[in-house]
RNA sequence: GAGGACGUAGCUCAGCUGGUUAGAGCAUCAGAUUGUGGUUCUGAGGGUCGUGGGUUCGAGCCCCAUCUUCCUCCCCA
């Protein structure tokens, strides 16, 4: 036997049973996207490395899978280059392509490249795998599927509201209890400005994002280590302690950062989203969470995150508004907003909660047993007839022992087995066995169709 | 990038303070039963104990290295 075969770290094979579950999620998500008027696109698995670098922050750049140039990838690189350049610089010279890290940046590139053919506002969805050179662990893979919905070319906050509706609809259909967390980058910028550290916005947001995990003490320590003054940290405290209803929180934060232009804008956006939501019946609660930061650099307005209520798992859906992502590629003043559903994590959560229907993997309804040449032709005729009636059915390919053929039906959870031997051939019928009850009855192919159509 | 745990049959695992030929359950295949599965009984196949090195008369077990998987941090879907 055996060479030791395996697949790369953080990647997975999917069995038929798993694929049925995954397809169920993809189908649900896609149906909702279509219902809201979004259209599908796909982009290549690989992009030019330069398209991707610099969009995801320092950490993100490190996690991009790079593709070594074909041919002599060392061409033009000297020993001194290797000794003196950073690995990132060398990688840029040896790798002009990379695997996509998310679907938003390739989408922005697509929009810029096809701007003349696109009718704005452009509503698209995209369900494809992405790759990250991260260290795998629970709910974290190196290859995983994102299901993105975005609308680009519209500043209206209605889009944010629509995305919240989509999130609500998807998870309601999947039967998952979730919480939608909402925040706004402008509010975070306002906070940074008020406490006199506008350049520290990223450090601040990353630190306060951790408040649930590591507690206020450690957050303050981290802020200090990032070079924030004691006075600034002091000013930040009431914001970290904020509690109450969304309105109460909005009011309090408004009192603190309402003086800044950017802060005021952020609050206005947030309030108008909440105003919209009052008129819509949602099953899920939307919660203002000022500690929600999200690391991706390109967000400028609303930011979303969805967590499953009953399972410990990272976010299963996230996104936000990006005002200038296309600007980087030469198409300024086009704002977009979108969210991404993490299909793999959703699948993990649903598995843990046993939310998948038990008999989802039943595909074949009827198996014909095989008794030899003449009987095979006899069965084949009926098989074609039954398939024309839309009943998924198959004929066992080998004249094996019946025990084996029935075991196969059993293993495949096929509910009915039809046998046609010499006796049945004379009467122009089959013996149909109900595998659950064990009952057997002689039936013509038409009667079989009638029975299984029920 | 930092830290921790695991690795024995296709799968889940047992294997005593180091001691003959490494076990069990499930799965697979065959038979009991030559046109009827899921229950039962009998039998069979399947292992360089993750890999490499070391200690020892002797290593699945101890030591070192390495790889993998899982988990935590960082970050994220």
């Amino acid at each position: 036997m055996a060479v030791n075969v395996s697949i790369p770290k953080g990647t997975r094979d999917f069995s038929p049973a798993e694929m049925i579950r995954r397809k169920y999620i993809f189908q649900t998500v896609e149906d909702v996207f279509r219902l809201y008027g979004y259209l599908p696109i796909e982009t290549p698995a690989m992009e030019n490395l330069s398209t991707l670098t610099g969009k995801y922050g320092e950490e993100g750049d490190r996690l991009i899978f790079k593709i070594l140039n074909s041919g002599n990838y060392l061409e033009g690189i000297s020993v001194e280059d290797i000794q003196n350049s950073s690995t990132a610089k060398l990688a840029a010279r040896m790798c002009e392509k990379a695997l996509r890290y998310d679907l938003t940046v390739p989408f922005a590139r697509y929009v810029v490249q096809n701007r003349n053919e696109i009718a704005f506002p452009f509503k698209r969805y995209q369900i494809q795998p992405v790759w990250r050179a991260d260290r795998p662990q629970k709910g974290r893979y190196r290859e995983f599927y994102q299901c993105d919905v975005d609308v680009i070319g519209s500043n209206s906050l209605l889009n944010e509201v629509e995305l919240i509706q989509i999130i609500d609809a998807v998870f309601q259909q999947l039967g998952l209890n979730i919480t939608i967390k909402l925040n706004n980058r402008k509010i975070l910028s306002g906070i940074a400005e008020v406490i006199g550290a506008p350049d520290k916005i990223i450090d601040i947001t990353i630190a306060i994002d951790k408040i649930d995990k590591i507690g206020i003490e450690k957050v303050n320590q981290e802020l200090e280590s990032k070079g924030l003054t004691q006075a600034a940290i002091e000013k930040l405290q009431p914001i970290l302690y904020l509690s109450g209803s969304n309105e109460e929180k909005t009011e309090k934060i408004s009192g603190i950062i309402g003086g800044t232009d950017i802060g005021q804008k952020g609050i206005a956006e947030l309030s108008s989203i909440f105003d919209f939501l009052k008129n819509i019946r949602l099953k899920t609660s939307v919660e203002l969470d000022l500690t929600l930061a999200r690391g991706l650099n390109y967000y400028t307005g609303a930011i979303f995150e969805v967590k499953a209520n009953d399972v410990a798992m990272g976010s299963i859906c996230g996104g936000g508004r990006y005002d200038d992502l296309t600007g980087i590629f030469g198409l300024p003043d086009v704002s977009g907003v979108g969210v991404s559903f993490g299909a793999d994590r959703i699948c993990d959560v649903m598995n843990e909660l046993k939310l998948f229907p038990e008999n989802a993997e039943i595909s074949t309804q009827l198996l014909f047993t095989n008794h030899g040449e003449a009987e095979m032709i006899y069965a084949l005729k009926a098989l074609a007839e039954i398939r024309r009636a839309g009943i998924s059915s198959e004929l066992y390919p080998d004249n094996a022992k019946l025990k084996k053929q029935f075991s196969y039906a059993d293993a495949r959870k096929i509910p009915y087995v039809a046998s046609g031997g010499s006796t049945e051939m004379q009467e122009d019928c089959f013996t149909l066995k109900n595998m659950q009850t064990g009952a057997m009855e002689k039936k013509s192919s038409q009667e079989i169709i009638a029975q299984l159509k029920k």
Side-chain angles (χ1 to χ4, degrees), chain A residues 183-301:
Chain A
N183 196 10
N184 196 297
R185 268 286 164 86
K186 293 192 178 80
I187 290 178
L188 295 171
S189 300
I191 292 170
E193 198 177 317
V194 160
I195 65 171
D199 53 320
K200 291 282 197 293
I201 169 84
I202 301 219
D203 289 335
I204 293 170
T205 53
I206 287 176
I208 65 178
D209 186 37
K210 291 182 206 159
I211 191 160
D212 278 346
K213 267 190 193 162
I214 63 175
I216 186 102
E217 300 275 311
K218 292 238 172 92
V219 168
N220 287 339
Q221 272 172 34
E222 180 161 335
L223 288 170
E224 203 178 335
S225 76
K226 294 289 181 186
L228 249 75
T229 64
Q230 208 56 49
I233 294 174
E234 212 48 51
K235 264 185 163 171
L236 206 55
Q237 299 307 301
I239 295 166
L240 299 177
Y241 282 119
L242 219 54
S243 64
S245 71
N246 292 332
E247 282 83 4
E248 285 165 354
K249 284 190 207 163
T250 315
E251 222 166 276
K252 280 186 207 159
I253 188 79
S254 179
I256 300 169
I257 64 164
T260 65
D261 275 2
I262 188 119
Q264 199 159 38
K265 262 190 186 164
I267 288 163
E269 288 181 13
L270 206 61
S271 324
S272 90
I273 291 174
F274 280 121
D275 284 346
F276 267 122
L277 289 177
K278 275 186 203 144
N279 298 303
I280 294 166
R281 262 195 307 164
L282 286 186
K283 206 196 166 211
T284 339
S285 63
V286 181
E287 190 180 291
L288 170 58
D289 182 355
L290 290 165
T291 68
L292 171 61
R294 299 198 59 78
L296 294 180
N297 276 356
Y298 47 69
Y299 293 126
T300 52

Side-chain angles (χ1 to χ4, degrees), chain A residues 386-397:
Chain A
I386 283 162
R387 282 180 178 155
R388 268 199 300 277
I391 294 163
S392 95
S393 43
E394 56 189 290
L395 166 62
Y396 196 88

Side-chain angles (χ1 to χ4, degrees), chain A residues 259-381:
Chain A
T260 65
D261 275 2
I262 188 119
Q264 199 159 38
K265 262 190 186 164
I267 288 163
E269 288 181 13
L270 206 61
S271 324
S272 90
I273 291 174
F274 280 121
D275 284 346
F276 267 122
L277 289 177
K278 275 186 203 144
N279 298 303
I280 294 166
R281 262 195 307 164
L282 286 186
K283 206 196 166 211
T284 339
S285 63
V286 181
E287 190 180 291
L288 170 58
D289 182 355
L290 290 165
T291 68
L292 171 61
R294 299 198 59 78
L296 294 180
N297 276 356
Y298 47 69
Y299 293 126
T300 52
I303 40 186
F304 311 96
E305 191 161 287
V306 175
K307 295 206 112 188
N309 289 346
D310 313 313
V311 174
M313 176 76 65
S315 62
I316 53 178
C317 176
R321 181 171 283 275
Y322 40 91
D323 281 333
D324 206 30
L325 197 47
T326 58
I328 301 165
F329 301 120
L331 181 64
D333 303 321
V334 178
S335 181
V337 59
V339 293
S340 177
F341 292 79
D344 304 79
R345 283 186 179 177
I346 293 172
C347 200
D348 288 349
V349 168
M350 290 182 66
N351 270 329
E352 235 172 276
L353 297 175
K354 300 189 167 45
L355 288 177
F356 287 106
E358 183 65 32
N359 49 5
E361 73 238 53
I362 294 175
S363 56
T364 297
Q365 292 295 308
L366 174 66
L367 175 77
F368 282 90
T369 49
N370 191 320
H371 301 262
E373 276 302 311
E375 293 90 341
M376 214 157 96
I377 289 161
Y378 176 66
L380 226 35
K381 283 184 192 156

Side-chain angles (χ1 to χ4, degrees), chain A residues 82-83 154 178 244 369:
Chain A
I82 291 170
Q83 282 166 343
S154 161
I178 52 145
T369 49

